[in-house]
């Protein structure tokens, strides 16, 4: 009896967080849901980039974005499998301040992501059924309620739901690929519309290439992101080494699910200019509906809704654990660590995701996603830097999985996607840039407030994380805050020069109003949109520059000459 009690105690964490036996196959399906859950979203890339460039990007981005992060997440997850995942990796490598930034930025981006999946599910449903505002909200409310309840029951139930939904989605897109390749070249109706031209219109200069790449790079990077998200629930897995194993299996699987159906669809159905996610647009459902019958259109609409449900389901688990980890380190409201006694789940954090999604689920997709990309990229950059730091700090024998090739190859694997992220941050457009930077600036602001209010890691280990009595922050934090604002000031200055040239402000080649905010403001005065963005960028640059100077001067007065 005492041995059973001891075992049970080992399966429950400090706050009542329970551990579960999760198989590698379950991890594969959960990561598949976190990263992909089908090709939905790629439809938007095709008319923006062109069919040829879309295929090229789907083939290239895995190697310069998806695969590097999958490998890094596998390496770090094998040597540091713990609740909080990427947040804890950055904290160990770069310290409390940068750990909070990574944890906050990625957690908030997941909250935003989750809202977008609810919005997309409602949009796909509206393509099949005539829905009023009330009916659409009821559908979204039901989706949020059902999967919030599943998540409160624990990771094991999340895994079961993810497995079932993933199998349905994989089979569905496998059918699309088979149908497309069998009917390669199209029929009398579609043959003349098939084309794999590189860009939507002939690219006449560097600016045109930037524009067409920008039309799909943010979606492509979004589609190949999420490999690290499973790491946040490692503390609830009895054998957390199944996570890096599952990650390595999932990488080629997701590449196949994206590339094969898209290539087959374009090579059989054609009509690349009309692909999209709206009700009258061409998509993956039309491939099988055209060649095998219209009933497949309805089936695929249902699969599309289920795909969004599967992503939503797993991201509730990932996002809520981010807040749990921050609160556990006294860097967020302590209520976030409260766990359900029966299921051992941080139910307050889970409920916070559902409430956030419920509030914002009726907002336009373009406004919701605008903050997400920059927050995602900023957190990824910190994880890449942390991987290089920890590789030199942690003994080789502690790694269960280690990327082969030595530190030089690891540096290459990390630096290339960092450069891709910085490039994408600018070419996504001034609207995405401004929205993203506003999201990023919330990180240092909330750290300053919550670290002083809740005590941070000093409450856990005062010797290892000493408090600066003059600021209420950790020793050295004012220097780090000043450095972050310096980097933001430099980037904002570059944006003020690059974006007007790139978007052609005030010229005949200028972007139209529909090119901003995902087309939500189409029909508005483009000069008013650009003017507002320009003023916003100017104010943001000034705020960051002043904050940098203030915190730098403050650091000279309050920080010790040498940090312990």
């Amino acid at each position: 009896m005492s041995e059973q009690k001891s075992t049970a105690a080992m399966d429950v964490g400090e706050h009542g967080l329970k551990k579960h036996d999760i198989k590698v196959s379950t991890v594969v399906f959960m990561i598949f849901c976190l990263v992909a859950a089908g090709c939905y979203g790629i439809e938007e890339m095709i008319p923006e980039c062109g069919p040829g460039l879309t295929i090229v990007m789907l083939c290239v981005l895995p190697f310069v974005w998806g695969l590097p992060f999958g490998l890094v997440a596998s390496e770090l997850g094998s040597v540091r499998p713990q609740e909080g995942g990427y947040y804890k990796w950055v904290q160990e490598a770069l310290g409390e301040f940068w750990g909070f930034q990574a944890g906050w930025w990625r957690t908030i981006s997941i909250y935003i992501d989750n809202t977008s999946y609810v919005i997309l599910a409602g949009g796909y449903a509206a393509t099949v059924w005539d829905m009023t505002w009330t009916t659409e909200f009821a559908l979204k409310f039901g989706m949020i309620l059902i999967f919030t309840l599943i998540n409160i029951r624990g990771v094991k139930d999340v895994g079961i739901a993810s497995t079932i939904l993933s199998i349905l989605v994989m089979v569905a897109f496998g059918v699309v690929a088979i149908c497309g390749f069998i009917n390669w070249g199209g029929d009398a109706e579609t043959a003349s519309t098939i084309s794999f031209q590189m860009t939507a219109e002939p690219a006449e200069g560097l600016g045109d290439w930037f524009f067409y790449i920008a039309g799909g790079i943010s979606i492509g990077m979004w589609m190949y992101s999420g490999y690290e998200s499973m790491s946040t629930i490692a503390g609830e897995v009895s054998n957390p080494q199944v996570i890096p194993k599952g990650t390595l299996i999932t990488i080629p699987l997701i590449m196949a699910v994206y590339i094969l159906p898209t290539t087959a669809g374009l090579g059989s159905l054609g009509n690349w200019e009309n692909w999209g996610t709206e009700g009258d647009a061409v998509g993956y459902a039309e491939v099988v509906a055209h060649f095998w019958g219209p009933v497949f259109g309805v089936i695929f609409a249902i699969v599309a809704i289920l795909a969004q449900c599967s992503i939503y389901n797993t991201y509730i688990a990932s996002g809520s654990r981010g807040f749990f980890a921050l609160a556990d380190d006294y860097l967020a409201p302590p209520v976030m660590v409260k766990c359900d006694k029966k299921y051992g789940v941080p139910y307050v954090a889970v409920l916070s995701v559902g409430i956030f999604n419920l509030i914002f689920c009726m907002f336009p997709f373009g406004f919701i996603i605008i903050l997400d990309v920059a927050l995602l990229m900023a957190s990824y950059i910190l994880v890449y830097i942390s991987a290089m730091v920890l590789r030199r700090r942690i003994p080789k024998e502690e790694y269960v999985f280690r990327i082969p090739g030595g530190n030089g190859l690891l540096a290459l694997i990390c630096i290339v996607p960092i450069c891709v992220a910085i490039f994408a941050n600018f070419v996504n457009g001034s609207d995405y840039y401004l929205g993203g930077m506003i999201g990023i600036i919330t990180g240092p602001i909330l750290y300053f407030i919550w670290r002083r209010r809740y005590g941070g890691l000093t409450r856990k280990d005062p010797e290892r994380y000493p408090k600066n009595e003059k600021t209420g922050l950790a020793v050295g934090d004012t220097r780090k805050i000043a450095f972050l604002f310096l980097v933001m000031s430099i980037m904002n200055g570059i944006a003020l020069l690059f974006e007007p040239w790139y978007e052609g402000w005030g010229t005949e080649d200028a972007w139209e109003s529909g090119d901003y905010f995902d087309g939500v403001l189409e029909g508005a005065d483009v000069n008013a949109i650009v003017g507002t963005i320009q003023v916003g960028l100017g104010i943001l640059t000034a705020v960051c520059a002043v904050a940098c100077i203030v915190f730098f001067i403050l650091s000279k007065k309050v920080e010790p000459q040498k940090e312990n």
Side-chain angles (χ1 to χ4, degrees):
M1 180 69 72
S2 61
E3 186 176 339
Q4 289 178 341
K5 288 183 178 180
S6 175
T7 303
M10 289 174 61
D11 290 338
V12 180
E14 180 184 351
H15 300 284
L17 205 64
K18 290 186 178 180
K19 293 182 180 290
H20 302 272
D21 290 321
I22 304 292
K23 297 179 181 179
V24 173
S25 58
T26 303
V27 172
V28 169
F29 291 127
M30 289 183 72
I31 294 176
F32 177 81
C33 289
L34 287 163
V35 178
C39 302
Y40 301 109
I42 294 175
E43 304 103 320
E44 298 289 339
M45 293 176 62
I46 295 169
E48 294 292 331
C49 302
L53 186 57
T54 297
I55 299 299
V56 170
M57 291 177 72
L58 289 177
C59 293
V60 171
L61 280 174
F63 297 100
V64 299
W65 183 253
L67 179 61
F69 205 84
L71 291 172
V72 167
S74 296
E75 175 170 305
L76 294 176
S78 76
V79 73
R80 291 293 186 266
Q82 54 193 320
E83 198 77 2
Y86 54 84
Y87 156 65
K88 287 294 186 180
W89 304 337
V90 177
Q91 183 187 90
E92 180 178 351
L94 305 177
E96 184 178 7
F97 172 77
W98 294 111
F100 178 88
Q101 303 311 308
W104 170 255
W105 291 336
R106 186 63 181 118
T107 298
I108 291 304
S109 77
I110 290 174
Y111 274 54
I112 296 169
D113 270 347
N114 261 14
T115 306
S116 70
Y117 301 133
V118 177
I119 293 171
L120 286 174
Y124 284 125
T127 63
V128 179
W129 301 288
D130 186 17
M131 303 177 69
T132 64
W133 188 95
T134 304
T135 308
E136 185 177 346
F137 179 77
L139 173 69
K140 293 175 179 178
F141 177 81
M143 176 179 171
I144 292 169
L145 179 63
I146 290 170
F147 289 103
T148 298
L149 292 175
I150 289 175
N151 270 266
I152 288 176
R153 290 180 57 86
V155 174
K156 196 163 188 176
D157 282 10
V158 174
I160 292 171
S162 299
T163 299
I164 295 170
L165 293 172
S166 295
I167 291 173
L168 286 173
V169 172
M170 288 180 191
V171 169
F173 280 97
V175 169
V176 171
I178 292 170
C179 177
F181 284 123
I182 288 176
N183 294 280
W184 186 264
D187 55 18
E189 184 180 343
T190 66
S192 62
T193 69
I194 295 173
S195 171
F196 284 95
Q197 67 186 65
M198 186 57 67
T199 55
E201 298 288 343
E204 298 178 356
L206 185 62
D208 284 349
W209 279 104
F210 279 176
F211 179 80
Y212 291 125
I213 291 173
I217 193 169
S218 60
I219 296 175
M221 293 172 73
W222 188 43
M223 299 291 289
Y224 280 114
S225 298
Y227 290 105
E228 85 296 343
S229 298
M230 188 72 187
S231 69
T232 60
I233 60 175
E236 297 167 67
V237 180
S238 298
N239 176 20
Q241 295 303 335
V242 298
I243 296 177
K245 292 178 182 177
T247 302
L248 294 175
I249 294 171
T250 312
I251 292 170
L253 177 64
I254 289 173
M255 289 175 62
V257 168
Y258 286 167
I259 296 169
L260 295 180
T262 304
T263 304
L266 289 171
S268 58
L269 188 64
N271 288 292
W272 63 267
E273 304 100 322
N274 299 316
W275 280 61
T277 55
E278 294 78 20
D280 57 349
V282 175
Y284 298 100
E286 279 66 37
V287 177
V288 284
H290 178 80
F291 292 108
W292 290 351
V295 68
F296 281 93
V298 177
I299 293 173
F300 250 79
I302 297 172
V303 171
I305 296 169
L306 291 177
Q308 305 314 310
C309 290
S310 68
I311 304 176
Y312 182 70
N313 176 47
T314 44
Y315 263 123
I316 291 177
S318 178
S320 61
R321 272 46 169 202
F323 253 135
F324 174 90
L326 290 171
D328 185 49
D329 285 342
Y330 302 100
L331 291 171
V335 70
M336 290 296 184
V337 299
K338 284 192 174 182
C339 289
D340 180 81
K341 292 181 179 179
K342 181 178 181 180
Y343 298 112
V345 171
Y347 69 94
V348 175
V350 170
L351 288 173
S352 73
V353 180
I355 293 169
F356 181 94
N357 301 152
L358 193 61
I359 293 171
F360 291 98
C361 70
M362 298 305 289
F363 276 61
F365 180 79
F367 279 111
I368 289 296
I369 207 66
I370 208 80
L371 296 172
D372 180 47
V373 179
L375 292 169
L376 170 74
M377 294 177 188
S379 63
Y380 273 26
I381 288 172
L382 289 179
V383 173
Y384 280 125
I385 294 172
S386 299
M388 292 185 283
V389 171
L390 293 177
R391 172 66 79 87
R392 297 179 181 276
R393 189 178 296 172
I394 299 174
K396 183 177 181 180
E397 53 271 14
E398 290 188 24
Y399 286 88
V400 177
F401 167 76
R402 203 165 183 261
I403 300 171
N407 293 342
L409 180 60
L410 176 67
L412 179 65
I413 286 174
C414 293
I415 291 171
V416 169
I418 288 174
C419 295
V420 171
I422 294 172
F423 170 77
N425 198 39
F426 288 110
V427 300
N428 279 336
S430 57
D431 50 348
Y432 274 71
Y433 180 86
L434 178 59
M437 281 298 172
I438 291 173
I440 286 174
I441 205 172
T442 62
I445 292 172
L446 279 175
Y447 177 81
F448 185 85
I449 296 171
W450 285 350
R451 179 59 168 81
R452 288 163 58 89
R453 181 171 182 179
Y454 301 120
L457 289 174
T458 301
R459 290 186 61 179
K460 279 190 166 183
D461 191 343
E463 293 186 6
R464 186 177 178 187
Y465 303 100
K467 176 182 176 181
N468 186 324
E469 297 296 340
K470 296 179 181 179
T471 63
L473 305 174
V475 172
D477 275 349
T478 54
R479 296 192 192 111
K480 294 172 182 176
I481 294 173
F483 179 75
L484 175 57
F485 279 118
L486 173 63
V487 172
M488 291 183 68
S489 298
I490 293 171
M491 292 189 66
N492 292 340
I494 295 172
L496 282 170
L497 297 174
F498 176 79
E499 300 297 351
W501 167 80
Y502 173 53
E503 297 175 6
W505 292 1
T507 70
E508 60 180 15
D509 296 324
W511 287 17
E512 299 176 356
S513 58
D515 294 322
Y516 293 96
F517 300 102
D518 202 38
V520 173
L521 300 179
E522 189 170 11
D525 181 7
V526 69
N527 292 321
I529 295 173
V530 169
T532 303
I533 292 173
Q534 189 172 24
V535 170
L537 279 174
I539 294 173
L540 184 65
T541 304
V543 168
C544 291
V546 170
C548 173
I549 294 170
V550 169
F551 276 99
F552 177 75
I553 294 173
L554 183 63
S555 71
K556 292 295 184 180
K557 295 181 178 181
V558 302
E559 299 292 355
Q561 292 299 313
K562 291 184 178 180
E563 296 181 36
N564 294 326

